[in-house]
Amino acid sequence: MNNRYAVILAAGQGTRMKSSLYKVLHPVVGKPMVEHVTDQVSQAGFAEIVTIIGHGAESVKEQLKDRVSYVLQEEQLGTGHAVMQAQNKLAAKEGTTIVLCGDTPLISSETMEALVNHHEEQGAKATVLTAHADDPAGYGRVVREPSSGQVNRIVEHKDATEAERGIREINTGTYCFDNARLFEALEHVGNENVQGEYYLPDVIEIMQSAGEVVAAYQTPDFSETIGVNDRLALAEAEKAMRLRINRYWMKQGVTLIDPEHTYISSDAEIGPDSTLYPGVVVNGEVTIGSNCTIGAHTQITDSTIGNGTEIQQSVVSNSTIGNEVQIGPYAHIRPDSKLEDQTKVGNFVEVKKSTFGAGSKASHLSYIGDAEIGKDVNLGCGSITVNYDGSQKHRTTVEDGAFIGCNANLIAPVTVGAKAYVAAGSTITEDVPGESLSIARSRQTNKENYLK
Ligand code: UD1
Ligand code: CA
């Protein structure tokens, strides 16, 4: 959008979080709050996004990289003072500026657009996004003129009288301003209040007393405006976002057996007719195809899952899983693994940095690490790739159609050729030619009448 700018306030310490992590970096559904805000602002398409940083400045920069520009607020003297820091960047520009707090992670791009549109329709110099809160404690209250309903000013909870504290309409901390007028008004903001801070909401009263049009846009959904100041609000925000994401996926045709207890990141994609059981955790960038069954307490992080795949009580990280794959129960698919179509990784099997060609199986009790397993390979119960010699990792190759007997050790680096057999209990230290049988264990001797 031309001539539309955004300022995100993210310099505060977040004392009430009682945390060594800066407040705006606390995650909600696995993503830092300030990144949620940035994602939504970016989606709404503002020409420039300026983020005010202070406490944890380097960490915030590391998180948001060059998606936004930064201004440092060296001392945190209040939200008005924070916006003032963007003066050099923005004050000379003609246009509309939206100001958001880095601690309101649920605010959506649709609401930002509705706010800006309302502001422009009203021809206002300032428009505040408000909401009705059942429990408004802690928020700034919107004080309106009783006769006209016109917004007069915003009073902080700590500065409010008993009567003002009874007001349920709150300031969400998101506003839209005529850009030039915003920076003029900020010059007049003082700090005579309980907290001794320069309050951004004071510009509302300043503009209103100067006879300018000040508007309010009330969003119907309070949960979207939750401001996270402590761990209680963090949990509330987490829940609200979880339910928002879950409702979305149910509407897209995904079955969630218990949506209250299903945890899906905001960067996941799930195909229709997939079913997620209670306790499923989907972290980061995950794509799950259609017709999948993701069993109870499965955890999937930054991975791609094909169609018709079933995963029971397992952990999958940074891996690619094909179609109609069966995983678990109790399997661990570690980073950089690739399981092609119709493979099976069963009970108590750990796979690390390995590829399974289509149709290959490790059904029980195995460790397969740094291995390339061809197509239609059967890794018997207890097969182990011995990939580590105490200082270095080595690779194992098992070619198409090979059969590895139970409890075999494949000491890497080693290759088992196509359609070869490895006898149960073997410890293989040398390559096995294709289509052969390798037995690497001592012969059985029976001592008869030993008991006597
Ligand atoms: C603020 C509003 C309040 C509103 C609420 C909505 C003020 C004075 N009050 O209160 O009316 O109801 O948000 O959630 O604005 N920050 C800076 N620099 C500073 C101070 C704050 O960057 O000097 C940042 C913080 O990192 C935070 C945001 O501004 O992301 C809001 O500050 P916070 O202290 O949380 O304000 P609230 O008390 O919640
Ligand atoms: Ca806040």
Side-chain angles (χ1 to χ4, degrees), residues 48-84:
E48 190 175 342
I49 308 170
V50 180
T51 302
I52 312 297
I53 50 175
H55 281 284
E58 288 311 310
S59 316
V60 174
K61 274 184 169 173
E62 213 168 284
Q63 191 64 41
L64 301 179
K65 308 228 161 58
D66 55 6
R67 301 177 59 196
V68 300
S69 67
Y70 300 93
V71 174
L72 186 68
Q73 183 194 21
E74 279 177 30
E75 259 188 300
Q76 285 69 49
L77 303 180
T79 48
H81 179 259
V83 175
M84 199 62 169

Side-chain angles (χ1 to χ4, degrees), residues 16 23 101 103-104 138-139 172 226-229:
R16 291 163 280 182
K23 178 168 73 176
C101 294
D103 66 355
T104 54
Y139 289 96
T172 65
I226 294 173
V228 175
N229 295 327

Side-chain angles (χ1 to χ4, degrees), residues 35 72 75 87 124 142 166 200 202 205 332 344 376 418:
E35 197 176 347
L72 186 68
E75 259 188 300
Q87 191 172 28
V142 178
L200 173 61
D202 283 0
E205 189 178 7
H332 188 185
K344 180 175 177 191
D376 299 315

